[in-house]
Amino acid sequence: MSDKKPKNVFIEGAISSEFIGNSIAKHQVKTNIGAHNIFLGQVRADNIEGKVVSAIDYTAYQDMANEKFHEIREATFEKFNLTCMHIYHSLGQIKAGEICLFVFVSSPRRKEVFKALEYVVEEIKAKAPVFGKEIFEDETHKWKVNT
Amino acid sequence: MQLNIKYFGLIAEITTCTEETLELSNATIADLKNVLIGKYPELNTKDFQIAQNKEIVSNETLISGEELALLPPFSGG
């Protein structure tokens, strides 16, 4: 474990394709990288008992979540041969079709990034205290539970 | 001992606040749960975990007075 301070992974609002594109561009100077892998979580217009989800409103226990994201990062670097890794999660209301989670892992070799990305995303789903409120088109809501 | 307790998501809807202070001494997490269920009976029907100083703790854990939080099931991503 390093003594690096946890970063803030939260972004207010949806994660834009420009932001994702810029993140990719920033890695072009790191020429030891041979493989990137990206996970994008998108808000799904689920149909629940006849009502359609129009958005998810995300809140989080931010201090704890940033510590958990930091622990997940450190564990991932120990398990896999990665050059770098970035995690961004949205807060606030994210509409169906918009991106709410962006995980980006990079390595000299492809096999590492396939394994590492799945590990990171599953760890986030299980350990990060983030709470999604599914808002329906009629403005009623239901609290989401990860499965 | 004065405890500062944070509430999130569905739990904050039940308590109708996101934070409050309670007076409780020589208590475990199970004792705190009993006090909170007494105050907010609807909590008894809900699934939640408790974090102390940003780590999930079990019923037997002694309350040390650090930051406490009631966390409903996680749904990030």
Side-chain angles (χ1 to χ4, degrees):
Chain A
M1 292 274 165
S2 79
D3 54 2
K4 280 192 274 180
K5 287 254 167 66
K7 293 181 187 171
N8 178 29
V9 308
F10 292 105
I11 290 182
E12 197 60 42
I15 299 165
S16 70
S17 45
E18 290 76 19
F19 183 88
I20 296 161
N22 286 336
S23 296
I24 298 168
K26 280 181 198 157
H27 288 76
Q28 290 175 334
V29 292
K30 296 189 179 182
T31 50
N32 57 332
I33 292 172
H36 298 298
N37 201 3
I38 288 174
F39 178 85
L40 301 174
Q42 175 168 300
V43 173
R44 192 174 51 231
D46 261 349
N47 188 318
I48 302 171
E49 291 160 11
K51 293 199 286 188
V52 178
V53 172
S54 61
I56 296 181
D57 189 7
Y58 283 105
T59 51
Y61 182 7
Q62 289 190 51
D63 290 346
M64 178 177 167
N66 279 319
E67 280 189 13
K68 292 294 155 196
F69 281 118
H70 181 72
E71 288 169 19
I72 293 167
R73 273 179 67 84
E74 297 288 302
T76 308
F77 275 116
E78 276 185 22
K79 277 180 193 292
F80 305 98
N81 175 27
L82 295 183
T83 310
C84 59
M85 166 173 168
H86 305 274
I87 305 172
Y88 301 96
H89 199 297
S90 292
L91 288 177
Q93 198 156 318
I94 313 304
K95 295 190 193 94
E98 292 184 327
I99 302 298
C100 56
L101 174 63
F102 172 29
V103 181
F104 187 1
V105 293
S106 310
S107 168
R109 300 274 169 192
R110 72 183 180 284
K111 286 187 178 165
E112 291 296 297
V113 295
F114 289 133
K115 287 183 289 181
L117 187 68
E118 180 172 11
Y119 174 79
V120 174
V121 173
E122 293 305 320
E123 287 286 287
I124 291 171
K125 296 258 180 191
K127 294 185 179 165
V130 178
F131 313 102
K133 183 166 74 172
E134 293 175 312
I135 319 264
F136 297 106
E137 285 163 340
D138 63 1
E139 291 181 8
T140 57
H141 70 263
K142 178 178 175 291
W143 289 92
K144 190 171 175 274
V145 176
N146 277 348
T147 49
Chain B
M1 189 188 326
Q2 205 168 55
L3 308 179
N4 187 273
I5 307 166
K6 293 175 185 291
Y7 303 115
F8 292 92
L10 174 64
I11 303 298
E13 275 186 1
I14 293 170
T15 59
T16 66
C17 63
T18 57
E19 205 166 335
E20 71 179 327
T21 55
L22 284 181
E23 191 64 39
L24 196 63
S25 293
N26 299 321
T28 62
I29 294 295
D31 298 329
L32 173 65
K33 277 187 185 169
N34 285 334
V35 169
L36 291 173
I37 287 168
K39 192 169 180 188
Y40 307 106
E42 206 185 333
L43 286 181
N44 207 16
T45 64
K46 302 297 176 192
D47 183 17
F48 63 90
Q49 301 183 91
I50 295 186
Q52 172 160 261
N53 198 24
K54 306 181 194 79
E55 292 292 341
I56 302 292
V57 287
S58 61
N59 280 336
E60 307 75 49
T61 305
L62 282 170
I63 292 173
S64 60
E66 291 160 300
E67 187 172 287
L68 292 156
L70 265 65
L71 307 174
F74 301 164
S75 51

